[in-house]
Amino acid sequence: MAVTAYSLVRMHNLFAVVMLSGIYSLLAAVIYVVMDAVDVAFTEAAVGAGISTVLMLGTLALTTSMEKDAKMFSPLPLVIVTVTGALLIYATLDMPPYGDPTAPIHHHVAPHYIEKSAHEVGPPNIVTSILASYRGYDTLGETTVIFTAAAGVMALIGRSRRRKKKSDKSMPVEDS
Amino acid sequence: MDAFSGLFNYWIVVVLMMMGFYIVISQQNLIKKIVGLNVFQVSVFVFYISMGKIKGGSAPILADGIEIYSNPLPHVLILTAIVVGVATTALGLALTVRIKNAYGTIEEDEIEAMENTPSNKTPEATS
Amino acid sequence: MLNQTSILRVISKLLIPPIMLFGLYVQFHGDFGPGGGFQAGVIFASAFILYALIFGVDNARKAAPAWLTRLMLASGVLLFGGVGVVSSLMGGGYLNYSVLANDVHAGQHLGITLIEFGVGLTVAGAMITIFLIFDGLLRAEEED
């Protein structure tokens, strides 16, 4: 996965970049299965490797598929990234080790969900009962975000198409 | 050395995250910046999911004979975040398309140069 | 473009109905196995996009015109919010499904199924709408 990400940094052909990002999210899906998150892996495989690749390819067809080559290498981003990464790694020294059942995350509301959800909600898939029932507000918000994003895409590029058609028909006035 | 092997997953996450960050701040191409944001995003997802894992645990679907389940809460959060992520990515791509229509390029430095040149009153639509 | 290749046409003809069926299965079986509205919407949309890529977007537009996908997009959110309003009218809190039926489990099940269906509608509608808009813009560019 890190190798894929590294080649993403180096690659200039945007077509290859998009394909690699598809591979990247497929690998992420495999990692989610290893970490027991089957629902998440499911979503990631369908979304990351399917839909977003198609959308990116559509954008490439609309814009350009080659990145401009000649660019100056500036050390500043590298320095910033290295410093931030070092700080983050220093911060991980305080994190609980991987798979530790005594980590604080497992002792707040999670045990309640695992023990009571069959009784209080019903479905055997705990993820579904949390998603739809315990955290219904959350999911309502997320659905609204998706709705808004689609409406935003409509407003951004769906509208320009219509305006272009209209200006083609009436008179050749250039819009902005 | 054994004390550090439990932290290996976090280090992977940090490395991936920094790669995404590097792409975002160093590249000039807007599509590549969006891909970088995706890399960053996935690293955060992996971070959450890896926190939810319990050693010996199973997927959080109730069944007989299974005692330990991984923490389902991060799964829920990330599940919705992925779909929202792709919706916002689509929004970003739509913005990129509009920028391409308005400026004729999706390289950030060229756009900046165009903005800063006073003789160039309005950027022509070149598409 | 791709519609000349008979292999692709035959294979995708074989694949698309199972994909859609699988989407519905994921939608309504999400309580018991992995799955739910988000995944089902995405799977359904990808079946649609596959159809559009192989058989041409014009045929796909006939199958799902723009008003239909927009209706799906909006009605999903409305269904979700509506379930919340109904449950608060029936005496519970907003989005408290336990009051929807006599039995707590039946009520929760009904509520979860309904809102997952709403989520699925919205996600599928959003993905198809975004895809169609990108395609429409592409075609407008080619005409110029």
Side-chain angles (χ1 to χ4, degrees):
Chain A
M1 208 169 161
V3 174
T4 323
Y6 178 71
S7 16
L8 274 178
V9 179
R10 306 299 309 171
M11 201 70 80
H12 285 288
N13 187 341
L14 288 175
F15 188 76
V17 166
V18 169
M19 285 302 150
L20 272 178
S21 77
I23 294 173
Y24 177 75
S25 40
L26 213 54
L27 285 176
V30 174
I31 289 182
Y32 296 150
V33 174
V34 171
M35 293 176 179
D36 293 343
V38 277
D39 284 85
V40 182
F42 209 157
T43 321
E44 177 74 39
V47 165
I51 305 262
S52 73
T53 310
V54 170
L55 288 181
M56 295 237 180
L57 286 180
T59 317
L60 287 191
L62 282 170
T63 55
T64 168
S65 65
M66 281 307 284
E67 194 181 2
K68 189 170 50 96
D69 262 343
K71 65 174 183 273
M72 304 259 276
F73 177 81
S74 65
L76 185 63
L78 201 60
V79 171
I80 294 176
V81 163
T82 319
V83 170
T84 321
L87 280 176
L88 283 175
I89 286 193
Y90 174 67
T92 61
L93 295 182
D94 284 341
M95 294 290 291
Y98 174 66
D100 181 12
T102 59
I105 182 175
H106 304 305
H107 292 281
H108 185 47
V109 286
H112 175 91
Y113 289 152
I114 291 175
E115 282 157 22
K116 303 272 178 61
S117 78
H119 175 66
E120 288 179 352
V121 183
N125 187 352
I126 309 174
V127 172
T128 304
S129 36
I130 298 178
L131 179 85
S133 193
Y134 289 116
R135 296 195 158 256
Y137 279 116
D138 240 8
T139 313
L140 178 60
E142 311 272 9
T143 317
T144 318
V145 169
I146 293 166
F147 172 75
T148 317
V153 171
M154 246 187 261
L156 271 174
I157 57 181
R159 180 124 158 263
S160 77
R161 178 165 57 106
R162 216 175 307 148
R163 198 167 51 186
K164 194 182 268 176
K165 266 189 192 152
K166 209 188 285 170
S167 66
D168 279 353
K169 259 182 248 162
S170 55
M171 45 181 165
V173 173
E174 191 56 57
D175 47 352
S176 74
Chain B
M1 208 53 222
D2 208 35
F4 288 109
S5 64
L7 298 174
F8 185 66
N9 61 320
Y10 301 118
W11 295 348
I12 292 282
V13 166
V14 169
V15 168
L16 287 178
M17 191 184 279
M18 285 308 112
M19 276 177 175
F21 190 36
Y22 178 75
I23 295 178
V24 171
I25 61 176
S26 73
Q27 305 285 332
Q28 300 289 341
N29 188 297
L30 290 175
I31 292 183
K32 225 173 161 189
K33 272 181 195 277
I34 292 178
V35 172
L37 275 180
N38 272 336
V39 171
F40 197 108
Q41 200 181 20
V42 169
S43 81
V44 176
F45 296 164
V46 174
F47 176 60
Y48 263 68
I49 300 292
S50 73
M51 284 201 301
K53 168 77 180 169
I54 296 180
K55 205 165 264 172
S58 150
I61 297 173
L62 295 175
D64 293 335
I66 296 176
E67 294 295 319
I68 314 168
Y69 298 101
S70 287
N71 194 339
L73 193 55
H75 299 184
V76 176
L77 301 179
I78 295 312
L79 179 60
T80 49
I82 288 177
V83 182
V84 169
V86 75
T88 46
T89 303
L91 197 62
L93 290 174
L95 270 174
T96 313
V97 170
R98 286 291 286 142
I99 288 172
K100 165 78 179 175
N101 276 348
Y103 291 91
T105 176
I106 52 169
E107 305 284 338
E108 201 176 49
D109 46 355
E110 290 177 10
I111 295 172
E112 243 167 50
M114 232 177 260
E115 286 278 301
N116 293 337
T117 319
S119 63
N120 206 350
K121 290 160 293 185
T122 47
E124 288 291 315
T126 51
S127 58
Chain C
M1 311 170 270
L2 288 173
N3 53 6
Q4 310 297 331
T5 325
S6 54
I7 295 178
L8 281 178
R9 288 175 74 95
V10 171
I11 298 285
S12 60
K13 239 177 207 167
L14 282 177
L15 272 180
I16 287 171
I19 293 178
M20 291 206 156
L21 201 62
F22 183 60
L24 288 178
Y25 166 79
V26 168
Q27 171 82 57
F28 294 111
H29 201 259
D31 309 2
F32 303 101
F38 285 99
Q39 295 92 329
V42 172
I43 290 173
F44 207 78
S46 55
F48 179 83
I49 289 174
L50 178 64
Y51 179 79
L53 287 179
I54 306 291
F55 294 98
V57 181
D58 287 326
N59 287 332
R61 271 182 203 275
K62 261 179 238 157
W67 62 264
L68 182 66
T69 57
R70 280 169 208 192
L71 188 72
M72 280 165 72
L73 184 66
S75 62
V77 180
L78 279 180
L79 181 60
F80 201 141
V83 170
V85 171
V86 167
S87 66
S88 67
L89 284 182
M90 288 176 76
Y94 190 70
L95 290 175
N96 180 2
Y97 318 123
S98 301
V99 295
L100 288 178
N102 299 324
D103 180 22
V104 172
H105 278 198
Q108 290 281 354
H109 199 103
L110 179 67
I112 289 178
T113 311
L114 278 177
I115 68 142
E116 290 275 14
F117 187 59
V119 170
L121 270 182
T122 304
V123 172
M127 297 305 160
I128 296 175
T129 310
I130 292 172
F131 174 76
L132 285 182
I133 286 176
F134 268 86
D135 169 77
L137 197 62
L138 201 59
R139 197 158 321 169
E141 300 255 308
E142 275 166 8
E143 278 168 13
D144 287 354

